[in-house]
């Protein structure tokens, strides 16, 4: 199986090489042929979200050409924005469609774990899972991350609750708080306060040992928030880092 | 004439306020935490008690979709209904015209005016306009009264002083009433304001309020309140004036009732203490069945409908959803930026949906740009909104316009060269 990892440069640009290494290591363990996009543009999806529309179409067109030239079976990313943009906005706005499926890493690993049923080592820790806003709230995809973590023995997964979710017939994750990572692209000096507040308000009271978002952008926000709030007893850990640790 | 500010000046001023008065203000963060916890607990109680409220959302959305698509027709019908009821109806094209009409209705010389809380009057800056003409104007909603005495602006759509702690409130009320009030007794604070304003109500010539909905078929205003101040402002003075945005009009009495019950439920109330329905001046037919106007309530009823860009916006398929907003304020309690900055996130209208109102209605694209780029596009407001208003989608669309005009923040402008290498 040939897999293209989109968003590699974003991980490097944000200093999340540890996440990238865990993905590469896991793909190696799975024996897949992992390919990267040449001269990949950092955070190209931001072109739409920030309103930089004069270059957006060109960026997505280039992405399509480069990805399709690699002839993968699937495109995966730790980020949700690409998955979302290619699912709806890019086809709607520019009439562009990828000829291969583009899925989120949680979905990729949920499928692989289900298919391979590996025996994983235990991870006896409290792990706070944030469902990234785009993957969760906007695309309604929560289950894959939960399925992945459910394969790991002894992990205690903590999610944010919401008092009226059940009455309203909604998955509580639809109300997940946001570490405001997108402010890095607009008003970062303000974003620092929002991230710190997220950590103090949402993470600290739930006392996890580790915390991570399904989306690498949200994950970056959590990392930054923990740093700004100077919280040392909660460590940021992306799900692939856990999976890589427990995969025998 | 005021000099037009540069986009740099606008950003600098906005950032100084949102960080200085908002994000760095520990008291505000604490007040917001308390407000959020109370909102969630109250909403839970209200939805548990009235579980059918969850079903209100869909119908409310349909009513708004229809109303905004038929806005001009409904405005006309509303004005006809009000006139039929012996009221006066006006359509003001902008804030200046609305204020001028109201000043003319109030007349000369100096009058005492008692006001109910209304975001639309904030949009037109009516209090300041009337004060500049020598009238004595009092905000009579407690939260809005606190806003007035501290010379601030409302920090939330329904809870204008949501950013204040009880300690700060006690200090402010003590100053204005001359009473030594303790932060331990909110009851004493409320009593002091009640006593202070009672005189103003009884001597007021004019009462002013907004409305939560208007039914076009009967020309009836629906006004939700808890304090009883609007009850007095709409009953005691000779003249009652309502300033209402045209987007509040819905076709029928039933529709209007549906909108107000959705508003109060998602604004976290079981039921408000008062729901006023006002369709015209007070009247009696008790002597020989001859209808005579000016019984115990106001002799004159004036409805000033405010356009200020709403009619044009109702025809814009990308952004007309902005007008569906009922100003219930629910979304604000779940916004990560509102948590740290309250209404400092926004200019005239607060929060993400407020940024859109500022851009299209109250302030214009340039002044609203920093608020539009403050939104974290997390989409949380949409799920909390009873009308499922997709604020993040519209923010993203609007950013494309703002970016083009050069109104994006510097960091955003640099993304193209630094990250995209274009
Ligand atoms: S956007 Fe929705 S939740 Fe927010 S104030 Fe308007 S109606 Fe209420």
């Amino acid at each position: 199986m040939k897999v293209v990892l989109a968003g590699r440069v974003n991980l490097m640009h944000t200093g999340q090489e540890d996440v990238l290494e865990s993905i590469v290591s896991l793909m190696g363990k799975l024996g897949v042929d992992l390919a990267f996009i040449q001269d990949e543009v950092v955070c190209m999806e931001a072109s739409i979200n920030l309103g930089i529309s004069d270059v957006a179409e060109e960026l997505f067109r280039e992405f399509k050409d480069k990805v399709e030239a690699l002839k993968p079976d699937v495109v995966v990313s730790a980020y949700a924005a690409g998955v979302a943009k290619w699912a709806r906005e890019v086809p709607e706005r520019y009439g562009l469609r990828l000829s291969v499926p583009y899925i989120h890493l949680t979905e990729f690993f949920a499928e692989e774990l289900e298919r391979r049923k590996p025996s994983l080592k235990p991870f006896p820790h409290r792990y706070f899972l944030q469902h990234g806003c785009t993957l969760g709230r906007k695309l309604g995809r929560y289950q894959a991350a939960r399925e992945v973590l459910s394969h790991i023995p002894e992990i205690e997964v903590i999610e944010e609750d919401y008092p009226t979710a059940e009455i309203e017939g909604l998955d509580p994750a639809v109300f997940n708080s946001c570490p405001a990572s997108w402010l890095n692209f607009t008003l970062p000096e303000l974003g620092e306060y929002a991230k710190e507040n997220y950590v103090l308000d949402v993470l600290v009271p739930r006392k996890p040992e580790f915390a991570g978002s399904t989306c690498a952008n949200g994950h970056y926000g959590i990392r930054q928030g923990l740093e700004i709030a100077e919280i040392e007893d909660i460590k940021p850990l992306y799900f692939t880092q856990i999976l890589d640790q427990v995969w025998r | 004439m005021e000099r037009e500010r540069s986009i740099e000046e606008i950003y600098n001023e906005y950032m100084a306020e949102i960080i200085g008065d908002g994000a760095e203000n520990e008291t505000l963060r604490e007040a917001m935490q308390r407000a959020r916890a109370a909102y969630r607990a109250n909403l839970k109680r209200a939805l548990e008690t009235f579980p059918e409220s969850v079903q209100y959302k869909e119908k409310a959305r349909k009513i708004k979709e229809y109303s905004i698509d038929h806005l001009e027709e409904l405005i006309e019908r509303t004005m006809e209904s009000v006139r039929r009821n012996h009221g006066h109806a006006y359509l003001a094209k902008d804030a200046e015209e609305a204020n001028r009409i109201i000043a003319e209705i109030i007349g000369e010389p100096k009058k005492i005016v008692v006001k109910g809380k209304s975001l639309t009057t904030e949009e037109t800056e009516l209090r300041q306009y009337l004060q500049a003409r020598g009238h004595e104007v009092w905000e009579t909603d407690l939260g809005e009264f606190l806003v007035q005495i501290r010379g601030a602006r409302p920090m939330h759509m329904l809870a204008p002083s949501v950013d204040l702690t009880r300690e700060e409130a006690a200090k402010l009320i003590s100053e204005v009433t001359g009473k030594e009030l303790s932060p331990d007794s909110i009851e004493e604070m409320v009593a002091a304001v009640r006593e202070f304003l009672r005189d103003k109500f009884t001597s007021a010539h004019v009462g002013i309020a907004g409305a939560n909905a208007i039914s076009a078929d009967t020309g009836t205003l629906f006004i939700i309140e808890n304090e009883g101040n609007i009850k007095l402002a709409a009953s005691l003075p000779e003249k009652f004036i309502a300033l209402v945005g045209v987007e509040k009009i819905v076709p029928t009495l039933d529709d209007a009732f549906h909108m107000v019950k959705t508003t109060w439920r998602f604004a976290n109330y079981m039921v408000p203490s008062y729901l006023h329905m006002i369709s015209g001046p007070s009247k009696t037919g008790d002597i020989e069945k001859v209808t005579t106007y000016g019984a115990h309530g106001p002799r004159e009823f004036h409805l000033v409908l405010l356009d200020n860009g709403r009619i044009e916006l109702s025809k814009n398929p990308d952004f007309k959803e902005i007008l569906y907003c009922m100003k219930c304020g629910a979304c604000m309690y779940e916004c990560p930026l509102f948590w740290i900055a309250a209404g400092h996130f926004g200019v005239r209208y607060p929060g993400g949906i407020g940024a859109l109102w500022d851009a299209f209605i109250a302030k214009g694209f340039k002044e609203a740009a920093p608020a539009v780029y403050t939104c974290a596009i997390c989409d949380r407001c949409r799920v909390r909104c009873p009308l499922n208003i997709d604020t993040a989608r519209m923010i993203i669309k609007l950013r494309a316009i703002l970016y083009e005009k050069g109104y994006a923040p510097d960091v955003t402008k640099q993304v193209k060269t630094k990250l995209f290498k274009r």
Side-chain angles (χ1 to χ4, degrees):
Chain A
M1 176 168 47
K2 186 166 186 182
V3 176
V4 164
L5 178 71
R8 179 182 63 119
V9 289
N10 307 3
L11 289 170
M12 288 173 5
H13 178 77
T14 53
Q16 303 200 87
E17 283 89 354
D18 50 356
V19 173
L20 178 60
E21 280 160 21
S22 68
I23 298 168
V24 174
S25 159
L26 275 170
M27 293 293 183
K29 288 174 184 171
L30 291 178
V32 303
D33 175 8
L34 183 64
F36 301 119
I37 301 159
Q38 244 203 333
D39 299 320
E40 191 181 8
V41 174
V42 180
C43 302
M44 56 175 278
E45 292 78 14
S47 59
I48 291 184
N49 286 356
L50 301 176
I52 313 173
S53 42
D54 52 346
V55 293
E57 184 173 353
E58 179 191 329
L59 292 174
F60 284 100
R61 216 170 266 285
E62 265 182 34
F63 178 89
K64 178 178 158 65
D65 291 346
K66 286 180 189 171
V67 163
E68 289 176 355
L70 291 166
K71 299 196 178 12
D73 298 295
V74 64
V75 184
V76 299
S77 179
Y79 292 87
V83 179
K85 298 294 174 217
W86 282 100
R88 212 175 51 204
E89 275 157 287
V90 175
E92 273 173 16
R93 284 180 187 218
Y94 312 121
L96 292 174
R97 274 175 191 79
L98 281 180
S99 58
V100 284
Y102 186 162
I103 59 172
H104 189 258
L105 267 180
T106 52
E107 296 165 318
F108 176 80
F109 282 110
E111 260 179 46
E112 289 303 309
L113 285 165
E114 193 49 39
R115 205 160 56 84
R116 298 172 189 240
K117 300 213 168 26
S119 146
L120 303 176
K121 286 186 265 180
F123 185 78
H125 300 286
R126 280 170 69 82
Y127 181 67
F128 180 88
L129 173 70
Q130 193 255 4
H131 292 272
C133 305
T134 304
L135 190 68
R137 210 165 7 250
K138 289 184 195 161
L139 294 177
R141 304 192 194 169
Y142 314 105
Q143 292 313 337
R146 290 172 179 156
E147 277 164 27
V148 169
L149 295 174
S150 74
H151 283 271
I152 302 170
E154 294 180 35
I155 189 169
E156 188 188 341
V157 180
I158 311 157
E159 289 195 28
E160 205 179 335
D161 42 358
Y162 192 83
T164 64
E166 203 185 323
I167 315 168
E168 296 186 75
L170 298 167
D171 188 317
V174 84
F175 291 105
N176 263 202
S177 306
C178 165
S181 304
W182 274 100
L183 262 75
N184 285 342
F185 296 95
T186 59
L187 304 169
E189 61 275 48
L190 177 64
E192 295 204 350
Y193 294 95
K195 286 178 209 129
E196 179 196 39
N197 193 59
Y198 173 84
V199 164
L200 297 177
D201 240 32
V202 179
L203 288 192
V204 171
R206 290 179 169 82
K207 299 189 175 66
E209 297 166 75
F210 300 95
S213 170
T214 52
C215 171
N217 190 30
H219 192 69
Y220 183 47
I222 289 177
R223 283 179 109 112
Q224 290 181 301
L226 287 166
E227 241 179 78
I228 298 163
E230 294 176 14
I231 301 295
E232 283 168 7
D233 47 4
I234 304 174
K235 304 264 181 274
L237 204 61
Y238 194 62
F239 83 94
T240 52
Q241 293 175 283
I242 307 179
L243 211 50
D244 190 37
Q245 275 183 39
V246 300
W247 201 289
R248 290 176 203 270
Chain B
M1 210 177 117
E2 246 178 73
R3 182 182 66 88
E4 196 187 326
R5 298 188 304 158
S6 71
I7 192 69
E8 289 74 26
E9 285 172 302
I10 293 170
Y11 268 101
N12 289 342
E13 207 171 290
Y14 176 82
M15 290 306 283
E17 182 187 325
I18 195 169
I19 290 183
D21 301 344
E24 278 185 348
N25 181 346
E26 289 294 327
T27 323
L28 178 140
R29 250 197 242 189
E30 173 149 8
M32 292 308 300
Q33 253 179 15
R34 289 181 196 170
R36 183 176 73 233
Y39 171 79
R40 289 177 176 178
N42 293 344
L43 181 67
K44 182 166 188 262
R45 210 153 28 99
L47 294 184
E48 270 168 359
T49 313
F50 303 102
E52 71 282 5
S53 330
V54 176
Q55 320 303 327
Y56 293 174
K57 301 187 209 176
E58 213 181 304
K59 183 173 170 193
R61 169 101 194 177
K62 287 218 164 80
I63 293 172
K64 287 304 280 190
E65 282 173 358
Y66 178 90
S67 306
I68 297 305
D69 281 347
H70 297 81
L71 188 56
E72 283 172 287
E73 183 191 317
L74 290 175
I75 292 171
E76 225 169 275
R77 214 184 307 158
T78 303
M79 293 179 72
E80 273 166 30
S81 301
V82 168
R83 287 173 187 145
R84 195 173 58 229
N85 301 340
H86 285 257
H88 304 266
Y90 317 77
L91 175 61
K93 68 172 184 312
D94 56 24
E96 171 63 32
E97 192 181 3
N99 288 346
R100 206 177 52 239
I101 293 170
I102 292 172
E104 276 164 19
I105 300 167
I106 294 173
E108 299 289 339
K110 179 184 141 152
K111 300 273 165 57
I112 298 177
V113 178
V114 281
K115 262 192 85 253
K117 173 175 65 197
S118 149
L119 277 167
T120 316
T121 62
E122 290 293 334
E123 180 184 322
T124 67
E125 300 185 29
L126 179 64
R127 173 163 43 85
Q128 294 81 343
Y129 183 93
L130 296 178
Q131 282 171 331
R133 272 146 195 83
H135 299 297
E136 182 183 333
V137 187
W138 289 100
E139 296 290 349
T140 59
D141 168 85
L142 177 56
E144 198 72 43
F145 175 74
L146 289 166
V147 165
Q148 177 176 9
I149 60 178
R150 66 182 167 136
R153 64 169 206 272
M155 286 287 123
H156 182 269
M157 286 173 168
L158 289 188
S161 292
V162 71
D163 58 321
L164 274 192
T165 57
R166 58 173 72 204
E167 291 78 12
E168 290 170 308
K171 199 162 157 260
L172 281 166
I173 299 171
S174 299
E175 272 165 27
V176 79
T177 60
K179 292 200 157 120
E180 196 61 37
L181 295 160
S182 147
D184 298 333
S185 174
I186 294 179
E187 218 169 284
E188 274 175 27
M189 293 184 230
V190 174
V193 174
R194 176 192 162 103
E195 195 187 318
F196 178 83
L197 285 178
R198 195 43 58 125
D199 246 14
K200 313 291 176 198
F201 279 118
T202 50
S203 49
H205 306 95
V206 179
I208 297 179
N212 300 91
I214 306 179
S215 60
D217 57 350
T218 59
T220 306
L221 309 182
F222 282 66
I223 311 174
I224 304 168
E225 68 148 339
N226 286 303
E227 294 183 15
N229 61 312
I230 293 179
K231 195 177 175 68
L232 297 177
S235 311
L236 295 179
E238 272 282 299
K239 294 180 185 178
F240 175 65
I241 306 169
L243 174 65
V244 189
V246 289
E247 84 285 359
K248 293 283 173 56
I249 303 173
V250 293
T252 66
L253 268 180
D254 281 354
D255 294 335
F257 186 67
H258 189 85
M259 293 316 296
V260 291
K261 72 180 182 184
T262 309
T263 305
W264 81 59
R265 192 55 43 75
F266 287 89
N268 86 22
Y269 296 113
M270 294 271 210
V271 67
S273 294
Y274 307 97
L275 172 64
H276 306 293
M277 290 169 63
I278 305 174
S279 312
S282 68
K283 63 186 176 192
T284 176
D286 280 353
I287 301 176
E288 290 188 356
K289 280 278 182 232
V290 176
T291 309
T292 309
Y293 291 89
H296 298 288
R299 185 186 299 275
E300 289 178 28
F301 169 78
H302 301 264
L303 171 62
V304 183
L305 290 169
L306 180 65
D307 172 6
N308 212 21
R310 289 162 171 84
I311 295 175
E312 195 188 326
L313 185 57
S314 74
K315 295 171 188 157
N316 184 331
D318 286 338
F319 295 104
K320 65 179 177 183
E321 212 186 346
I322 294 169
L323 295 170
Y324 299 173
C325 177
M326 314 181 293
K327 318 279 178 3
C328 70
C331 52
M332 278 151 223
Y333 293 109
E334 301 303 347
C335 166
L337 274 306
F338 199 79
W339 286 358
I340 60 163
H344 299 292
F345 169 17
V347 188
R348 186 65 57 202
Y349 284 96
I353 184 73
L356 293 165
W357 272 80
D358 279 340
F360 284 91
I361 304 292
K363 300 301 289 184
F365 287 175
K366 194 173 178 185
E367 292 282 335
V372 174
Y373 277 97
T374 298
C375 175
I377 53 169
C378 73
D379 197 33
R380 208 155 176 236
C381 48
R382 181 183 55 79
V383 289
R384 187 58 287 151
C385 174
L387 296 176
N388 201 35
I389 295 175
D390 200 340
T391 295
R393 176 193 64 81
M394 292 188 282
I395 290 270
I396 289 172
K397 279 227 150 148
L398 178 55
R399 282 178 179 177
I401 302 172
L402 300 184
Y403 184 87
E404 180 95 340
K405 290 180 180 290
Y407 298 162
D410 287 341
V411 172
T412 307
K413 286 177 186 158
Q414 289 159 12
V415 167
K416 191 165 148 184
T417 45
K418 287 198 177 155
L419 296 186
F420 303 162
K421 310 267 185 260
R422 292 298 193 276

